[in-house]
Amino acid sequence: MSTETTASAAASGNAATDRFRQSGKTTSIAADVERVNLLASKLIKAANDIVLEERVSYDEFNALKAWLIQVGEDGEWPLFMDVWLEHSVEEVATDHREGNKGSIEGPYYIPEAPEKKSPAKIEMRDDEKGTPLLFQGQVRSTDGSPLSNAKVELWHADEDGFYSQFAPNIPEWNLRGSFIADEEGNFHIDTMQPAPYQIPTDGACGQLIAAAGWHAWRPAHLHLKVSAPGHELLTAQLYFPGDAHNDDDIATAVKPELLLEIKPATEGSGVQTTYDFVLDPEAK
Ligand code: MBD
Ligand code: FE
């Protein structure tokens, strides 16, 4: 590794935990007694059913207790929740949509990235490694009308699979940006193709993956949030054809309609892709 400080599970996990605490996502949670009773009772019953059915031993019970403590110490609760549970929450939240259904947000989104008017180049290092990627398309409403000045937020890993602000020695807004589409809803963003992402192997989630004999990979992906006035915010991920893990993403977040079509760049080096987004009008 060329960097002086290497990435660690606890550093990225604790950064994700701090981010989540600052996100404001928990401020509107209403403590509805009936609902908490229902959900907590079902969760506890499901766990007890497993203990009884599988005759879980004290050694196994204590291993779980130690592991849960470690998840917290490594700051990996956001990672755990987003890898193993968020996909079902996303499914429930978006199953009414006629436009894009999207995919999970994951633990590494940061709001308010530097805003640029399309066409634009995302922030990257002068010597950023990888294959240049032109990502373009149009944002429309479900009735087909273009959404002028739609906003396309893009964030993704670098060629080493690391995200800025969650791994050391990467400029703050590297490979993160907020792009304003033109009057016809068209956007044109120059970026760099991301690498597949591996769940950190030196933290509690990595320990579980190894102990269970699973693999730790997510396929290479772009993260997006697409928004326009009067429309539902779309959170999505887009994937690259041929990636070995498109069919067995550890986060279960790949959908066939989220696969890009990649072509050689018509100008300059690298590749290009076109992907259009369709946003649902907000329910009245
Ligand atoms: C990621 O990059 C990601 O997108 C998700 C969902 C979980 C862990 C790392
Ligand atoms: Fe990701």
Side-chain angles (χ1 to χ4, degrees):
M1 181 146 300
S2 60
T3 47
E4 285 173 86
T5 319
T6 53
S8 77
S12 72
N14 285 308
T17 295
D18 288 346
R19 268 285 153 195
F20 177 72
R21 286 188 171 132
Q22 291 160 19
S23 71
K25 281 178 179 161
T26 57
T27 53
S28 65
I29 295 170
D32 181 285
V33 174
E34 301 275 306
R35 187 75 176 156
V36 175
N37 178 24
L38 175 74
L39 298 182
S41 298
K42 280 200 160 184
L43 184 63
I44 291 166
K45 179 169 189 314
N48 279 275
D49 285 348
I50 295 168
V51 170
L52 297 173
E53 273 165 39
E54 303 300 334
R55 301 186 57 77
V56 170
S57 69
Y58 259 102
D59 280 352
E60 290 168 332
F61 171 75
N62 286 323
L64 175 60
K65 204 187 270 189
W67 182 79
L68 290 168
I69 292 166
Q70 194 62 44
V71 175
E73 278 184 10
D74 292 342
E76 284 197 333
W77 281 116
L79 182 64
F80 175 88
M81 294 290 284
D82 297 354
V83 166
W84 284 298
L85 206 53
E86 190 187 355
H87 66 94
S88 294
V89 180
E90 193 271 339
E91 185 182 321
V92 171
T94 64
D95 63 3
H96 64 283
R97 287 191 184 170
E98 286 173 33
N100 287 66
K101 296 205 193 311
S103 190
I104 64 176
E105 176 178 311
Y108 303 140
Y109 171 64
I110 308 218
E112 285 161 41
E115 199 168 283
K116 300 186 184 203
K117 237 178 135 44
S118 172
K121 182 179 168 186
I122 203 166
E123 294 211 11
M124 66 173 77
R125 291 160 283 196
D126 291 338
D127 59 351
E128 192 71 40
K129 290 187 285 175
T131 305
L133 170 69
L134 162 58
F135 174 58
Q136 60 188 352
Q138 187 186 38
V139 186
R140 296 188 293 269
S141 186
T142 46
D143 68 1
S145 55
L147 292 170
S148 65
N149 307 318
K151 192 199 270 189
V152 177
E153 291 176 82
L154 175 65
W155 74 102
H156 60 81
D158 65 15
E159 171 81 355
D160 293 323
F162 292 124
Y163 285 83
S164 58
Q165 302 192 40
F166 297 93
N169 303 320
I170 303 176
E172 190 176 19
W173 295 104
N174 211 62
L175 303 178
R176 295 176 182 275
S178 187
F179 302 90
I180 307 301
D182 68 15
E183 315 74 62
E184 287 297 307
N186 293 306
F187 60 89
H188 172 126
I189 305 165
D190 283 300
T191 186
M192 208 51 97
Q193 215 174 295
Y197 176 86
Q198 185 181 29
I199 306 290
T201 52
D202 60 322
C205 290
Q207 194 188 1
L208 168 64
I209 288 164
W214 303 335
H215 73 75
W217 292 93
R218 297 213 60 223
H221 53 279
L222 303 175
H223 286 276
L224 295 130
K225 282 187 185 279
V226 184
S227 55
H231 287 73
E232 290 187 29
L233 168 68
L234 170 66
T235 300
Q237 296 189 33
L238 296 171
Y239 302 92
F240 298 83
D243 192 296
H245 293 292
N246 282 338
D247 295 325
D248 67 346
D249 175 14
I250 189 158
T252 324
V254 182
K255 302 175 187 181
E257 62 268 35
L258 299 174
L259 278 175
L260 292 164
E261 205 183 311
I262 302 290
K263 296 181 173 159
T266 51
E267 272 174 56
S269 65
V271 295
Q272 68 183 48
T273 187
T274 301
Y275 192 92
D276 296 345
F277 296 101
V278 178
L279 304 188
D280 277 56
E282 257 162 17
K284 295 205 183 76

